[in-house]
Amino acid sequence: MKKNRLLAKWLNNDLSEDELAEFKASPDFEKYQKIKNYTDHLEISDLDENAMLSNILSQKKVTPKVIPLHKKWMFRAAAIFVLALGITFALKFFVPQTETANFGEKTTFSLPDNSEVVLNSGSQIKYKKWNWDNNRRLELKGEAYFRVAKGRRFEVQTNLGKVSVLGTQFNVKNRKNRFDVVCYEGRVKVNYANTQILLTHGQGVSFENGKQTKIKIHSSKPEWTENQICFYKENIRTLLDEVERQYNIKIELNTKDTISLFTGKLPAKNLDIALQIISTTYHLEARKVSENKIIFDEK
């Protein structure tokens, strides 16, 4: 390159006047000048070629160590194994774990502290295994029932609110703009917006559009874990959304949404009976247009 050529000629004092002017105008000239000024003061002793040759010949010749090809392959395989093991460890403990229950399914799994979680249909949980005992925190989308092992504070975070406990059994439901929490054992602290509520055994609370409703329960665990869909003062659209999740179907409503709120139970394993209850309650007629699609019309 031209720049390197000029530098070499400058160090040997071989630049013409024009080349010297061009080189001094370069942005790096000042740096090169400082280096040259410093190195000019260094003294290098005369090289004793005979002594150097004698020293080299007197040294013992060392035969290069040759590693057989198969050993090289073994080293490489071992390195790849260690790398893969490290990546697997990182993925297992540092990357968030995800548990999902698809429509029409329920999923049960255990957390690192043996706390048990049951995910309802159309729900998802994310958590990190790393340092779990000191940071028992997870994110929930949908609905889940928790049986929490005793230990440090356990937190369930949703986009609507947060639930904090130590060791207890409770249910959290986070669907659209509705947030329900029910305590089946122990105590549960619920944070919603600027509101904080403490629930004990048999108590629940529901938040929807900023409105708070207290719930009294008598069951020992959520009805949906026993294949019953339980509703408390919920509108028809919310009710149909939950039926779609439980049965993995599509429902079309050809009527004006009624303002009537539904409180009661629907079976999660018998679609015909569930449709019959909805039709009777809201004076509708259900039509199965395909295996996975239902249409409700006004009678």
Side-chain angles (χ1 to χ4, degrees):
M1 292 185 296
K2 183 177 180 181
K3 183 177 180 181
N4 292 338
R5 182 175 57 80
L6 290 176
L7 175 60
K9 293 181 68 176
W10 175 69
L11 291 173
N12 291 324
N13 296 316
D14 290 337
L15 289 177
S16 65
E17 292 185 3
D18 292 340
E19 287 176 331
L20 180 60
E22 179 184 353
F23 186 71
K24 288 184 177 181
S26 68
D28 294 325
F29 175 73
E30 185 176 350
K31 178 178 64 177
Y32 294 144
Q33 185 65 54
K34 289 181 179 179
I35 295 173
K36 186 174 185 300
N37 291 339
Y38 174 75
T39 55
D40 285 344
H41 293 85
L42 296 178
E43 294 184 0
I44 302 176
S45 58
D46 293 335
L47 182 64
D48 189 342
E49 297 177 354
N50 293 328
M52 179 180 290
L53 178 59
S54 176
N55 184 47
I56 292 174
L57 293 175
S58 65
Q59 292 181 2
K60 182 180 180 181
K61 293 185 179 181
V62 178
T63 304
K65 186 176 180 180
V66 179
I67 301 176
L69 184 60
H70 72 278
K71 289 189 176 182
K72 288 184 178 180
W73 181 89
M74 290 175 61
F75 292 150
R76 183 175 299 176
I80 293 173
F81 174 76
V82 172
L83 180 61
L85 193 64
I87 293 173
T88 301
F89 178 84
L91 290 174
K92 185 176 181 180
F93 291 96
F94 294 100
V95 176
Q97 307 293 306
T98 301
E99 297 286 347
T100 302
N102 297 322
F103 280 23
E105 299 177 355
K106 295 178 180 65
T107 300
T108 301
F109 64 95
S110 296
L111 295 167
D113 60 353
N114 291 322
S115 294
E116 188 174 309
V117 183
V118 187
L119 269 180
N120 203 353
S121 302
S123 303
Q124 183 185 84
I125 274 179
K126 286 186 177 182
Y127 68 98
K128 291 182 179 179
K129 288 185 176 181
W130 175 253
N131 197 33
W132 172 259
D133 288 340
N134 296 316
N135 185 25
R136 302 198 299 175
R137 182 180 182 276
L138 53 81
E139 297 178 7
L140 168 67
K141 292 181 181 178
E143 184 172 12
Y145 172 50
F146 300 88
R147 289 190 283 265
V148 178
K150 293 187 181 298
R152 291 180 179 269
R153 184 177 299 277
F154 185 100
E155 290 186 355
V156 179
Q157 183 70 53
T158 76
N159 66 325
L160 293 178
K162 182 177 71 173
V163 180
S164 303
V165 302
L166 292 177
T168 184
Q169 298 182 26
F170 62 101
N171 190 80
V172 181
K173 183 178 181 180
N174 175 47
R175 303 287 197 194
K176 293 186 176 178
N177 59 346
R178 179 162 173 145
F179 182 50
D180 293 2
V181 181
V182 176
C183 178
Y184 294 94
E185 182 184 286
R187 295 189 303 171
V188 174
K189 184 170 69 174
V190 182
N191 291 85
Y192 176 85
N194 296 322
T195 303
Q196 186 176 105
I197 297 176
L198 187 65
L199 302 177
T200 57
H201 169 71
Q203 295 181 336
V205 65
S206 174
F207 297 95
E208 187 170 15
N209 298 323
K211 182 180 178 181
Q212 175 184 329
T213 305
K214 292 184 178 180
I215 303 173
K216 187 70 176 177
I217 62 164
H218 303 284
S219 56
S220 59
K221 59 182 178 180
E223 288 83 353
W224 63 263
T225 62
E226 298 180 332
N227 297 318
Q228 288 187 316
I229 318 171
C230 188
F231 300 93
Y232 182 79
K233 294 184 178 181
E234 299 194 48
N235 60 53
I236 187 173
R237 190 62 259 177
T238 302
L239 182 149
L240 295 180
D241 286 346
E242 195 61 37
V243 173
E244 286 182 330
R245 293 188 192 96
Q246 296 297 327
Y247 288 97
N248 193 21
I249 59 175
K250 292 293 182 182
I251 298 178
E252 183 178 321
L253 182 63
N254 290 334
T255 182
K256 294 180 180 178
D257 287 357
T258 176
I259 61 174
S260 300
L261 300 179
F262 182 84
T263 298
K265 300 176 183 179
L266 297 176
K269 291 296 183 179
N270 193 321
L271 180 59
D272 290 335
I273 293 179
L275 297 178
Q276 184 179 346
I277 294 173
I278 297 171
S279 298
T280 302
T281 302
Y282 290 101
H283 307 290
L284 301 171
E285 182 178 352
R287 291 186 294 119
K288 287 186 178 181
V289 296
S290 69
E291 186 67 25
N292 298 312
K293 184 172 183 180
I294 308 295
I295 296 179
F296 279 106
D297 297 312
E298 289 183 347
K299 284 187 177 180

Short mmCIF file of all heavy atoms in Angstrom, two decimals, residues 49-62:
data_model
loop_
_atom_site.label_atom_id
_atom_site.label_comp_id
_atom_site.label_asym_id
_atom_site.label_seq_id
_atom_site.Cartn_x
_atom_site.Cartn_y
_atom_site.Cartn_z
N GLU A 49 28.15 -13.02 15.51
CA GLU A 49 27.58 -14.10 14.73
C GLU A 49 28.21 -15.44 15.10
O GLU A 49 27.53 -16.47 15.15
CB GLU A 49 27.77 -13.82 13.24
CG GLU A 49 27.02 -12.58 12.78
CD GLU A 49 27.28 -12.29 11.30
OE1 GLU A 49 28.12 -13.01 10.71
OE2 GLU A 49 26.65 -11.38 10.77
N ASN A 50 29.53 -15.47 15.34
CA ASN A 50 30.19 -16.74 15.67
C ASN A 50 29.69 -17.30 17.00
O ASN A 50 29.47 -18.51 17.15
CB ASN A 50 31.72 -16.53 15.74
CG ASN A 50 32.29 -16.20 14.37
OD1 ASN A 50 31.77 -16.68 13.35
ND2 ASN A 50 33.36 -15.42 14.35
N ALA A 51 29.51 -16.42 17.98
CA ALA A 51 29.02 -16.86 19.29
C ALA A 51 27.60 -17.40 19.17
O ALA A 51 27.24 -18.40 19.79
CB ALA A 51 29.07 -15.71 20.29
N MET A 52 26.77 -16.72 18.38
CA MET A 52 25.39 -17.17 18.19
C MET A 52 25.35 -18.54 17.53
O MET A 52 24.60 -19.43 17.95
CB MET A 52 24.61 -16.15 17.34
CG MET A 52 23.15 -16.57 17.08
SD MET A 52 22.25 -15.36 16.09
CE MET A 52 22.14 -14.04 17.27
N LEU A 53 26.20 -18.74 16.49
CA LEU A 53 26.22 -20.02 15.79
C LEU A 53 26.67 -21.14 16.73
O LEU A 53 26.11 -22.24 16.74
CB LEU A 53 27.16 -19.94 14.59
CG LEU A 53 27.31 -21.24 13.78
CD1 LEU A 53 25.96 -21.71 13.24
CD2 LEU A 53 28.32 -21.03 12.64
N SER A 54 27.71 -20.85 17.54
CA SER A 54 28.22 -21.85 18.48
C SER A 54 27.17 -22.22 19.50
O SER A 54 27.01 -23.39 19.88
CB SER A 54 29.47 -21.30 19.19
OG SER A 54 29.91 -22.22 20.16
N ASN A 55 26.39 -21.23 19.96
CA ASN A 55 25.34 -21.47 20.95
C ASN A 55 24.23 -22.35 20.38
O ASN A 55 23.73 -23.26 21.05
CB ASN A 55 24.77 -20.13 21.43
CG ASN A 55 23.74 -20.32 22.54
OD1 ASN A 55 23.98 -21.07 23.48
ND2 ASN A 55 22.61 -19.65 22.41
N ILE A 56 23.87 -22.12 19.14
CA ILE A 56 22.81 -22.90 18.49
C ILE A 56 23.24 -24.35 18.32
O ILE A 56 22.48 -25.28 18.58
CB ILE A 56 22.45 -22.28 17.13
CG1 ILE A 56 21.78 -20.91 17.33
CG2 ILE A 56 21.52 -23.21 16.34
CD1 ILE A 56 21.52 -20.15 16.05
N LEU A 57 24.52 -24.56 17.88
CA LEU A 57 24.99 -25.92 17.63
C LEU A 57 25.14 -26.72 18.92
O LEU A 57 25.05 -27.95 18.91
CB LEU A 57 26.34 -25.88 16.90
CG LEU A 57 26.28 -25.32 15.47
CD1 LEU A 57 27.69 -25.21 14.89
CD2 LEU A 57 25.41 -26.21 14.58
N SER A 58 25.40 -26.01 20.03
CA SER A 58 25.60 -26.71 21.30
C SER A 58 24.29 -27.15 21.94
O SER A 58 24.29 -27.98 22.85
CB SER A 58 26.36 -25.81 22.28
OG SER A 58 25.57 -24.68 22.61
N GLN A 59 23.18 -26.58 21.49
CA GLN A 59 21.88 -26.93 22.06
C GLN A 59 21.46 -28.30 21.56
O GLN A 59 21.68 -28.67 20.42
CB GLN A 59 20.82 -25.89 21.70
CG GLN A 59 21.05 -24.55 22.37
CD GLN A 59 19.97 -23.55 22.00
OE1 GLN A 59 19.04 -23.88 21.27
NE2 GLN A 59 20.10 -22.33 22.49
N LYS A 60 20.81 -29.05 22.47
CA LYS A 60 20.32 -30.38 22.14
C LYS A 60 19.15 -30.28 21.19
O LYS A 60 18.24 -29.49 21.40
CB LYS A 60 19.92 -31.11 23.43
CG LYS A 60 19.43 -32.53 23.19
CD LYS A 60 19.05 -33.18 24.50
CE LYS A 60 18.55 -34.60 24.28
NZ LYS A 60 18.15 -35.25 25.55
N LYS A 61 19.24 -31.08 20.17
CA LYS A 61 18.13 -31.07 19.21
C LYS A 61 16.93 -31.80 19.81
O LYS A 61 17.05 -32.88 20.36
CB LYS A 61 18.54 -31.76 17.92
CG LYS A 61 19.61 -31.00 17.14
CD LYS A 61 19.89 -31.69 15.81
CE LYS A 61 20.94 -30.91 15.02
NZ LYS A 61 21.20 -31.56 13.72
N VAL A 62 15.78 -31.15 19.70
CA VAL A 62 14.54 -31.73 20.24
C VAL A 62 13.67 -32.16 19.08
O VAL A 62 13.35 -31.36 18.20
CB VAL A 62 13.78 -30.69 21.12
CG1 VAL A 62 12.48 -31.32 21.62
CG2 VAL A 62 14.67 -30.24 22.27
#
